[in-house]
Amino acid sequence: MQQILHILLLSLATLPALCMASSSYNAYNYDMTTPLFTPDGRLLQVEYASLAAERSPPLVALSVTDREEGHAIILAAFRQPGSSSTAAAASRQKRIISLPNCPRIALAMSGVLSDAVDLLSVVRQHVDSWQRTYGVKETAIDNVAGIATVIGDACQSHAFGGGLRPYGASFIVCGVNDDGNGLSLSKTDPSGAVVQLQSTAEVDRNKDGRKPYIIFMGNDGIQKEKIQRKISDILGGIEDATIRDSVEAIIEAMLINDDATIHNGADSSTSGSSIDGEFPKDIQSKHGFPEIVIVSRKGVQEVDEETLSVLERRIMERSSLTNNDKLIDKTDRAPT
Amino acid sequence: TQHTAMDSVLAIRYKDGCVIAADQTNARSVLAYQHNLDKVTELSKHTAMGVSGPNADMVNFSEYISKNMALYEAMNHGNKLSVNAQAHYVRSVLAEALRKGPYQVNLMLGGYDEKTKEANLYFLDYLASMQKVNFGCQGYAGAFCLSIMDREWKDDMTKEEALEVIDHCIGELGKRFVIAQPNFIVKVVDKDGVSVSKFGADPNDN
C-alpha cells in the first residue's frame, strides 16, 4: 500500500516537468533575434553562439604536474588544415595570448577570432586599470578567475541583445603560481557563464596519482574524441608525466589525426582514413605545427618550430619501430 | 571650508605591524561636540587608517573605503588586497574626487601583509599625495611629534617600543600644543588584526 502511494506521489511530482517539455515549436520562429525566449525557455541565439564558439580547429588545454616545475598548463591550438606557408603563418592571428605584466597567465581563444580579439581588448583594459588602481606591478594567479569573469560579463551583456549579436568566442584563461604550487583554469562561454575548471584547491602537488587533466575545445571537422583519447592514453601510461611528455603527447595526437581531406564542417566519418600506425611524412606541410605554449612557474613560453620539428621527428622514428606497443619509451628520452 | 583640521593623527611602523593613534576630539571652530570620537577606521582585517578632517568627510570617506574593501573581497573569491594595493586604491579615490568635489581628509594608512610578512605604513593627504613612510603625523601634531619620532624610531622596533614613542608624542602634545586634546585612541594593526591598545574615552559611551 505504501509503495503504491509512493509511486503515485512521485508521478505527481514529475507531472509539471512533463507538461513543460511537451511543447513543440519551430525554431525559426524564435531564433531571429537575441532577446527572444522560446516557449520552453531557451535563448536560441545564445545557444547558436555557443556552437559558433566551437567552430575552430581544436584547442587543447592540458594541466600536468611536473616533478620539478610543479603545476604547468600546456595550451595547444591546432591550425586550420591546408594553409601552412610561412607567409600565411606570419599573418595568422595567434590563438594563445599572454598579457603584459602578467608573467604566468595565458589566454587561449576559440570560435570567431575577431570577436575573441575584441574581448581581449576588454581584458587588457581591465588588467591595466586594475594594475593602476591597486599599484600592482604584476598580475598574478589570484586574478585568473577575475579575468575570466570580465570576459564573461562582456559576453553576457551582448547576450541580452539590444541590437548586437552575442559574442561567438570562448576563452580558456589559465595561470600558475610563481612557485609552481598553484594553478587556476577557467573557461568562458558566449552566454556569459564562467566555469572554473581547476583551481589550486583541487590540485595538490604532493598528492599521489597526479593525473593530467585535459580540456578540449573546438570540433571543426577534426576528430576531437580521437585526439583527446590519444593524449589520455599516452599520458595515462606514463608514471610521472613531465611537461615534455605532455608536449610530445600532443604532437603525437596531431600526427595520428592527419587527414588530407579534412575541411570545415566535413563529417568525420566520410573524410577518408585516419588510421593508427599510418603517419603522414610531416605535419608541417599539411597543417603547420600547432601553437604550443607552456605556462609554468618559469613563465609563459612558446615552443618554437625548431623544437617542435625535432620532437615530431623523434616521435615518428620511435613509432615506426613499435607499432602497437607503448609509443613513449622512458629510456629513449634525451635530456631537455 | 577648512582642510587643515585640528585633528592629530600619529602613526609608527614597527617590525610586525603599525601603531596608529588619533585624538578623540570632535570640534568645529570653538565648539567641541564630543571628546570620545574614534578616528581610526578598520579597513579590512589587517589594515586601518587614521583620518583627520571635518567630521562629515571623515565619516563618509572612511565608510566608503572600508565598504569597498569588503566588496572587493566578496567579488574576488576572498582575495585580500595588500596594504600597498589598498593605499593605491585610496589614493585613486582621492585623486578622482580632487577635481570634482575633494574629500578634505588627511590619512595615515597602515597594515600588515601576511604574504610578505611585513608591516607597511602610508601617508596620504587630501590632494591625493601618497608616500610610504616609517612614521608620520597629520595635522599640527607633526610640528611637535615628527622630531620625536625621527629620533626614536629604529628598524625592527617591537610593539612595546612603538607604543612608548606614541606615548612620548602624546605627552609632548599635551604639554606644548595650545589646543587641548584630552583623549587619544591608540590602535595596533598586526597579523592578528586591528585591536585597541588604549583610549582616553570609550567611543561607544554615548
Side-chain angles (χ1 to χ4, degrees):
Chain A
M1 187 58 195
Q2 265 190 324
Q3 281 172 331
I4 300 171
L5 209 60
H6 191 58
I7 294 167
L8 264 175
L9 281 170
L10 264 176
S11 48
L12 274 173
T14 55
L15 214 53
L18 288 171
C19 281
M20 266 169 38
S22 67
S23 62
S24 65
Y25 56 88
N26 276 316
Y28 56 73
N29 287 329
Y30 298 96
D31 68 357
M32 287 295 270
T33 60
T34 311
L36 197 57
F37 280 106
T38 65
D40 59 352
R42 295 159 68 180
L43 290 168
L44 289 178
Q45 275 295 311
V46 176
E47 291 186 19
Y48 297 162
S50 296
L51 294 174
E54 290 289 306
R55 284 179 61 83
S56 261
L59 180 74
V60 178
L62 193 65
S63 95
V64 72
T65 310
D66 187 297
R67 190 167 277 287
E68 281 159 32
E69 300 297 332
H71 296 314
I73 298 164
I74 294 129
L75 296 167
F78 289 55
R79 300 213 196 280
Q80 205 78 284
S83 56
S84 64
S85 73
T86 326
S91 64
R92 195 183 284 125
Q93 170 66 46
K94 279 187 169 314
R95 289 177 66 193
I96 303 175
I97 312 280
S98 63
L99 301 168
N101 294 323
C102 301
R104 278 164 290 272
I105 295 180
L107 292 88
M109 327 192 283
S110 179
V112 181
L113 288 189
S114 50
D115 282 4
V117 168
D118 193 56
L119 286 169
L120 253 190
S121 74
V122 173
V123 170
R124 285 184 209 279
Q125 274 176 290
H126 161 82
V127 168
D128 187 60
S129 120
W130 191 91
Q131 287 180 340
R132 279 175 207 280
T133 302
Y134 295 104
V136 168
K137 298 282 181 299
E138 287 181 353
T139 299
I141 185 187
D142 304 346
N143 291 290
V144 167
I147 290 174
T149 306
V150 163
I151 298 173
D153 288 346
C155 287
Q156 195 280 331
S157 63
H158 281 245
F160 268 141
L164 296 171
R165 62 168 174 77
Y167 279 104
S170 9
F171 274 81
I172 284 180
V173 188
C174 62
V176 165
N177 225 348
D178 58 0
D179 57 8
N181 274 331
L183 79 77
S184 182
L185 191 60
S186 293
K187 180 173 182 240
T188 74
D189 182 74
S191 66
V194 173
V195 181
Q196 203 172 24
L197 294 166
Q198 261 200 320
S199 65
T200 313
E202 300 156 28
V203 187
D204 184 349
R205 183 176 178 175
N206 298 315
K207 269 215 183 76
D208 287 317
R210 294 163 259 155
K211 290 232 172 60
Y213 183 89
I214 309 168
I215 300 120
F216 203 101
M217 276 178 9
N219 59 2
D220 206 10
I222 298 187
Q223 296 171 52
K224 163 180 171 168
E225 291 76 27
K226 254 202 145 116
I227 296 186
Q228 204 164 2
R229 214 179 320 133
K230 188 71 185 177
I231 298 176
S232 304
D233 287 346
I234 297 172
L235 289 177
I238 299 178
E239 180 67 34
D240 216 350
T242 61
I243 292 176
R244 187 201 189 73
D245 290 333
S246 312
V247 175
E248 290 185 354
I250 289 173
I251 299 187
E252 193 165 339
M254 183 62 183
L255 278 170
I256 64 111
N257 182 70
D258 168 52
D259 194 315
T261 65
I262 291 172
H263 295 294
N264 287 347
D267 182 19
S268 53
S269 60
T270 60
S271 58
S273 61
S274 192
I275 305 168
D276 288 5
E278 240 195 56
F279 300 96
K281 277 319 145 199
D282 66 352
I283 306 178
Q284 177 70 24
S285 62
K286 297 248 191 245
H287 304 274
F289 282 115
E291 241 176 281
I292 301 190
V293 168
I294 302 170
V295 183
S296 69
R297 69 182 168 96
K298 286 201 184 124
V300 177
Q301 305 157 295
E302 174 154 12
V303 184
D304 56 69
E305 298 246 325
E306 210 183 292
T307 317
L308 286 175
S309 54
V310 165
L311 289 173
E312 178 206 30
R313 221 175 310 129
R314 263 191 319 119
I315 292 169
M316 279 166 58
E317 285 166 16
R318 212 161 41 207
S319 328
S320 59
L321 291 171
T322 62
N323 257 333
N324 292 317
D325 295 350
K326 207 161 69 171
L327 292 175
I328 296 210
D329 185 345
K330 275 190 182 182
T331 59
D332 194 30
R333 268 189 263 149
T336 311
Chain B
T1 45
Q2 52 171 159
H3 54 78
T4 355
M6 306 299 145
D7 307 324
S8 303
V9 180
L10 317 163
I12 295 184
R13 179 177 83 86
Y14 65 93
K15 183 167 190 286
D16 299 317
C18 294
V19 177
I20 305 179
D23 76 289
Q24 292 186 269
T25 305
N26 188 0
R28 187 195 291 182
S29 177
V30 295
L31 177 63
Y33 296 110
Q34 68 185 120
H35 289 294
N36 67 342
L37 182 62
D38 181 1
K39 298 179 190 172
V40 184
T41 318
E42 181 177 323
L43 291 186
S44 69
K45 190 185 161 281
H46 58 291
T47 43
M49 73 181 179
V51 188
S52 85
N55 193 258
D57 279 5
M58 178 179 83
V59 171
N60 188 23
F61 186 75
S62 305
E63 288 184 355
Y64 181 67
I65 298 294
S66 61
K67 296 321 160 198
N68 268 292
M69 291 298 127
L71 180 66
Y72 182 90
E73 276 181 38
M75 302 259 284
N76 284 279
H77 315 274
N79 275 331
K80 299 196 191 322
L81 282 172
S82 65
V83 181
N84 177 58
Q86 289 191 20
H88 274 80
Y89 172 70
V90 169
R91 195 210 76 81
S92 76
V93 173
L94 288 166
E96 220 208 303
L98 182 61
R99 306 233 180 233
K100 296 177 184 175
Y103 289 105
Q104 290 167 0
V105 291
N106 296 312
L107 346 154
M108 294 300 303
L109 193 157
Y112 182 74
D113 277 317
E114 261 154 292
K115 261 193 200 147
T116 51
K117 300 267 184 296
E118 59 177 20
N120 287 301
L121 181 66
Y122 289 84
F123 170 106
L124 294 101
D125 77 3
Y126 74 106
L127 293 168
S129 57
M130 179 178 75
Q131 185 64 44
K132 186 164 170 347
V133 292
N134 290 320
F135 52 82
C137 309
Q138 292 285 6
Y140 288 120
F144 302 92
C145 302
L146 278 173
S147 49
I148 298 176
M149 292 177 175
D150 199 52
R151 171 187 278 201
E152 298 186 7
W153 187 88
K154 54 188 205 296
D155 222 353
D156 286 350
M157 281 171 93
T158 65
K159 181 168 89 166
E160 289 67 33
E161 286 171 339
L163 286 169
E164 213 183 297
V165 177
I166 291 283
D167 278 343
H168 288 169
C169 296
I170 294 173
E172 187 67 15
L173 286 171
K175 201 168 174 187
R176 296 297 181 190
F177 189 23
V178 68
I179 294 176
Q181 294 175 320
N183 298 319
F184 272 79
I185 183 166
V186 182
K187 292 195 182 175
V188 173
V189 189
D190 57 18
K191 65 171 169 39
D192 299 321
V194 181
S195 56
V196 178
S197 173
K198 63 178 180 192
F199 50 66
D202 189 352
N204 296 319
D205 190 10
N206 286 321

